[in-house]
Amino acid sequence: TISMDQKVTYESRDANAWSFVFTLVWLGACAGSMWYLARIGVDFYMTSWEFVLLALAVFRLIRLSTYDTIAQFLRDWFMDTKWEYDDATKLYRVTRTKPIKGLRRELYELFACPWCIGVWLSLGLVFAFFAYPPTLYLVLILAVAGLASIVQILSNLIGWYAEGRKIEVKNK
């Protein structure tokens, strides 16, 4: 039997090894990017406003890479996909499953986890921000989209709450 404080997961035996490799690669990318930025004489100063813009931009990139339909093709690179044509609808039915083990499985896990992919996306965007100043334009676009996403999510929550309250009042 399994007690309430135990968690059972199914993973391949190589999952921890791949996680360790990814951690080393990320640490190497951090060290390499810091070395490069120091070598070209970058001052690591940023304003609070720039920090907020970067945070909103990374938020939008996380949502894009992890959830949004438009980036499904990226996630599909790391999944096992089966395409079946349906003559009745003239559309394809796609079955997506995560790989059982190996590098593709670990990359699937990376793209499926907003917390995990966020660390990688943050590294890339912050590096680009310091290494190539015109990146601010991209950051600004992503930040505006990120703020708009937050407003949309909040307005949905308010709408759902209001609809729930209407139903409660009507059923009294």
Side-chain angles (χ1 to χ4, degrees):
T1 62
I2 298 172
S3 70
M4 294 297 283
D5 60 341
Q6 289 178 317
K7 180 182 177 187
V8 175
T9 61
Y10 294 92
E11 55 189 56
S12 66
R13 295 184 65 74
D14 65 352
N16 285 338
W18 279 113
S19 294
F20 181 70
V21 167
F22 272 48
T23 300
L24 290 178
V25 169
W26 187 83
L27 289 171
C30 281
S33 62
M34 287 188 301
W35 172 83
Y36 176 78
L37 292 172
R39 185 170 171 257
I40 63 172
V42 169
D43 178 15
F44 288 99
Y45 173 79
M46 93 172 34
T47 66
S48 299
W49 178 244
E50 290 169 332
F51 180 82
V52 169
L53 286 177
L54 277 167
L56 286 168
V58 170
F59 165 75
R60 188 64 198 106
L61 284 175
I62 290 168
R63 299 276 311 169
L64 181 67
S65 63
T66 308
Y67 301 112
D68 291 353
T69 305
I70 199 164
Q72 183 62 53
F73 76 97
L74 291 172
R75 296 187 297 275
D76 280 351
W77 291 347
F78 313 114
M79 300 181 79
D80 294 329
T81 56
K82 181 179 175 185
W83 293 72
E84 297 175 41
Y85 187 72
D86 183 350
D87 286 324
T89 63
K90 305 291 188 221
L91 297 172
Y92 286 91
R93 183 177 60 170
V94 183
T95 305
R96 293 176 173 91
T97 55
K98 61 182 167 182
I100 294 172
K101 64 180 182 176
L103 178 60
R104 283 181 63 241
R105 164 72 181 241
E106 195 63 24
L107 288 167
Y108 163 83
E109 296 290 349
L110 179 65
F111 274 85
C113 171
W115 312 106
C116 306
I117 197 70
V119 173
W120 287 86
L121 293 171
S122 295
L123 172 63
L125 196 58
V126 169
F127 173 76
F129 177 80
F130 281 116
Y132 188 63
T135 302
L136 180 59
Y137 182 69
L138 173 64
V139 168
L140 186 58
I141 291 168
L142 290 168
V144 168
L147 184 58
S149 295
I150 292 169
V151 169
Q152 182 64 47
I153 291 166
L154 291 174
S155 65
N156 285 344
L157 288 173
I158 292 167
W160 294 334
Y161 176 77
E163 288 300 315
R165 293 292 295 146
K166 286 179 193 176
I167 292 169
E168 283 178 26
V169 170
K170 187 176 183 180
N171 291 336
K172 283 188 179 184

